[in-house]
Amino acid sequence: MLTENAISSGIPVRNRMYRQALRRKEIRKQKYFHLMILMGMIYLFIFVYIPLFGIIIAFKDYRIVSGISGMFTSDWVGSKYFVEFFTDYQFSQIIRNTLAIIFLQLFFVFPVPILFAILLNEVKSVPFKRVVQTVSYLPHFISWVVVYGIAVALFAENGGLFNDLFVLLGLLEKPKAILTDPDAFWTVSVLSAVWKEMGWNAIIFLAAIAGINPALYEAADVDGASRIAKIKHITLPSLKSAIVIVLILKVGYLFKGGAFEQCFLFGNRMNNGASEIIPTYAFRVGLVNGRYAFATAVDLLQSSVAIVVVYLINFISKKLTDSSLF
């Protein structure tokens, strides 16, 4: 037999031993990288996977006074909290606000970094480009708390810079309550998100543009292509994979409650009809009213929808563009 002959010759055995020795050598060489990966896996296991057991209280009559053991000893209530959320008088308003914030950010906030990266790439002055890049990155490192403070200083009805300026110039008869106006909330949320994240989100697209083969642009120059033509036929097609991946990540981020901090801080009693979304509702009901089980059910529902939407977008993207996240 071939196997017996191979073993008797000793060649496959020596090859296998050589591959194992080579593998051990590679592992020793990369031991610090493996250690970093191990630390990350431990972190995920402790702070992400272990807390997942808490989902069980969405189906139980859990009270915080019963402690951790109450998660397992409380009575089962099945889908009681889900039905309660669906029949809540605020349900339609919360769903409308959540979907509106998500789609507004996808249609208006998401494309801006792409456009910004393309325009910045067309700038030939390197010092100017670096200054613009640095300035545009800075807002990302500012928390939403500080962003809200800046918004108050600029748009507050009493003492806000823009209101005082517009009234002084005669553009407004009296100060406008922008931050408490429900009709202005969605506009404020889009503009503040663009200002805060535009530069940071453009990093990925700038990196993708930097990876485009310069020979393509040189060939286009020889053919007499304009800047618009080069953007249309070279830059944008080369960014397709990056755009799809960032879009899928953005959809997942928004559907799992990525706009929570912004809506929670900019929301108030006056604009509650436009600012209350599922995460802020779950937060208020869970912590203010102490209904942890109900809040967990609401949050679980949103997370489940987020998973389905991400897989759906990924599937559609794979079929239409042959690019996907997984």
Side-chain angles (χ1 to χ4, degrees):
M1 296 176 65
L2 178 62
T3 306
E4 292 176 349
N5 293 335
I7 293 175
S8 61
S9 66
I11 294 175
V13 176
R14 286 198 297 272
N15 287 342
R16 188 170 62 250
M17 293 176 65
Y18 174 74
R19 287 196 297 272
Q20 289 175 348
L22 189 64
R23 193 177 298 120
R24 285 195 295 270
K25 182 180 179 183
E26 286 295 319
I27 291 175
R28 284 195 299 272
K29 185 178 178 181
Q30 301 172 356
K31 58 184 177 183
Y32 295 111
F33 297 107
H34 287 282
L35 181 61
M36 291 174 65
I37 293 173
L38 180 62
M39 291 171 64
M41 292 176 68
I42 293 173
Y43 172 83
L44 287 175
F45 180 73
I46 294 175
F47 295 103
V48 177
Y49 283 94
I50 290 180
L52 284 178
F53 288 104
I55 290 174
I56 195 174
I57 68 174
F59 306 96
K60 290 201 161 195
D61 188 19
Y62 174 76
R63 296 290 182 274
I64 191 66
V65 292
S66 59
I68 296 177
S69 60
M71 293 169 56
F72 306 99
T73 58
S74 301
D75 296 332
W76 287 95
V77 295
S79 59
K80 172 187 171 183
Y81 296 123
F82 296 95
V83 174
E84 185 179 342
F85 177 57
F86 289 136
T87 56
D88 191 298
Y89 75 97
Q90 298 182 77
F91 176 76
S92 58
Q93 176 183 293
I94 293 170
I95 296 298
R96 183 203 66 174
N97 293 342
T98 304
L99 293 178
I101 294 293
I102 290 173
F103 285 109
L104 282 173
Q105 296 225 6
L106 286 177
F107 281 106
F108 294 103
V109 179
F110 174 73
V112 173
I114 303 172
L115 179 63
F116 178 67
I118 292 174
L119 294 177
L120 200 59
N121 182 61
E122 294 299 316
V123 175
K124 301 303 178 188
S125 173
V126 176
F128 177 76
K129 186 187 293 187
R130 287 178 178 172
V131 171
V132 172
Q133 279 184 275
T134 305
V135 172
S136 64
Y137 295 163
L138 291 179
H140 172 76
F141 299 99
I142 300 174
S143 73
W144 277 110
V145 177
V146 178
V147 173
Y148 180 69
I150 295 173
V152 169
L154 295 177
F155 303 111
E157 185 176 7
N158 298 316
L161 177 63
F162 280 95
N163 267 323
D164 289 349
L165 184 63
F166 288 163
V167 171
L168 183 65
L169 296 175
L171 299 175
L172 287 176
E173 294 183 0
K174 60 180 182 179
K176 187 174 176 59
I178 297 173
L179 297 178
T180 56
D181 184 0
D183 295 331
F185 179 79
W186 293 349
T187 303
V188 171
S189 68
V190 168
L191 294 177
S192 58
V194 168
W195 176 76
K196 189 174 186 302
E197 302 297 342
M198 177 185 69
W200 182 257
N201 291 336
I203 292 176
I204 295 175
F205 302 112
L206 286 169
I209 290 174
I212 299 175
N213 189 351
L216 296 175
Y217 291 108
E218 293 170 2
D221 289 333
V222 172
D223 292 339
S226 64
R227 282 192 170 190
I228 299 298
K230 285 188 284 187
I231 291 172
K232 182 179 178 182
H233 297 290
I234 299 176
T235 307
L236 281 176
S238 301
L239 289 176
K240 185 179 69 174
S241 297
I243 292 173
V244 168
I245 291 173
V246 175
L247 175 63
I248 295 171
L249 293 174
K250 186 73 173 177
V251 168
Y253 171 76
L254 289 173
F255 269 90
K256 79 175 183 64
F260 167 75
E261 287 183 71
Q262 182 188 23
C263 292
F264 181 75
L265 290 166
F266 279 79
N268 50 61
R269 290 183 182 276
M270 302 296 290
N271 64 17
N272 188 63
S275 63
E276 189 79 304
I277 59 176
I278 293 177
T280 58
Y281 174 74
F283 182 81
R284 293 184 203 283
V285 173
L287 290 186
V288 176
N289 299 337
R291 302 191 62 197
Y292 297 94
F294 178 76
T296 303
V298 173
D299 202 49
L300 176 61
L301 182 66
Q302 183 180 14
S303 299
S304 302
V305 172
I307 294 172
V308 173
V309 171
V310 167
Y311 273 88
L312 183 63
I313 295 291
N314 189 77
F315 175 77
I316 295 173
S317 172
K318 187 182 291 185
K319 290 293 182 184
L320 296 180
T321 66
D322 203 27
S323 298
S324 61
L325 186 59
F326 46 84

